[in-house]
Amino acid sequence: MSQEQQKIEKRKNVLLVDSSRCIGCFSCEVACKLEHNLPAGPRMFKVIQMGPVENGDDLLMNFMAVTCLHCDKPACVLACPTGAMQKREDGIVFSDPELCIGCQTCAVACPFGVPQLNPGSGKIAKCDGCMDRVEQGLWPVCALKCPTGALSFGTAARVVQDVRQREAMQIARSLKMDAL
């Protein structure tokens, strides 16, 4: 196994976003802002509305939850001139406010536009996976507060198992309804 594969294997947890379950309530965004004491501007976790679009006689609207992907080779980390943007062994990419000078080089380098300037602190704000909470054995606050289960958190194996179980239950319900 290569050194890069070993690093990926060390990742303990993943955040799975199931956009089909998102109802656009923005609970994740609000919880994130409260947890990280952010003002109205920066959004470390974003819910994006797609639609409404016409589908025959109906209107459809979907929502997509978007956050930092904690890339394997993060451009934001490579671009940061002070070393404030860092990547931990477990894969979490975060910004150290003690080293950040607010130059926004990381924001320009990120192809997903995740790092944002916090006008209150003059420093970069971005999702850190709620690393302090996770180290205490807690879920990230965005996943904890999601009322529909659109956000799942845990080891990759556990998250996949939960999704498979949820899908199996949906199929079983569907078969039961068809039998009626």
Side-chain angles (χ1 to χ4, degrees), residues 6-136:
Q6 288 174 352
K7 281 185 181 180
I8 292 169
E9 290 295 318
K10 283 186 180 180
R11 290 186 182 199
K12 296 178 182 173
N13 297 300
V14 296
L15 178 69
L16 177 72
V17 179
D18 182 351
S19 292
S20 70
R21 297 177 68 100
C22 182
I23 59 172
C25 69
F26 297 91
S27 292
C28 51
E29 277 199 41
V30 172
C32 180
K33 284 187 168 294
L34 291 172
E35 179 73 16
H36 296 284
N37 197 28
L38 289 172
R43 296 166 64 196
M44 296 190 335
F45 198 100
K46 301 174 194 174
V47 175
I48 300 170
Q49 177 181 323
M50 298 179 300
V53 295
E54 291 183 15
N55 183 19
D57 292 336
D58 293 331
L59 289 177
L60 298 178
M61 184 156 22
N62 292 305
F63 299 92
M64 184 182 332
V66 180
T67 190
C68 180
L69 299 176
H70 300 280
C71 302
D72 289 332
K73 296 179 182 175
C76 60
V77 172
L78 295 172
C80 181
T82 66
M85 195 64 69
Q86 300 174 30
K87 181 178 174 111
R88 296 183 354 164
E89 279 290 314
D90 63 2
I92 292 175
V93 177
F94 70 100
S95 178
D96 181 342
E98 298 296 318
L99 299 174
C100 181
I101 58 173
C103 68
Q104 302 181 65
T105 305
C106 57
V108 173
C110 176
F112 308 105
V114 170
Q116 299 174 40
L117 185 66
N118 179 345
S121 67
K123 310 282 183 168
I124 287 297
K126 70 162 291 300
C127 172
D128 64 3
C130 284
M131 59 188 186
D132 294 336
R133 291 180 55 83
V134 171
E135 286 171 358
Q136 297 172 37

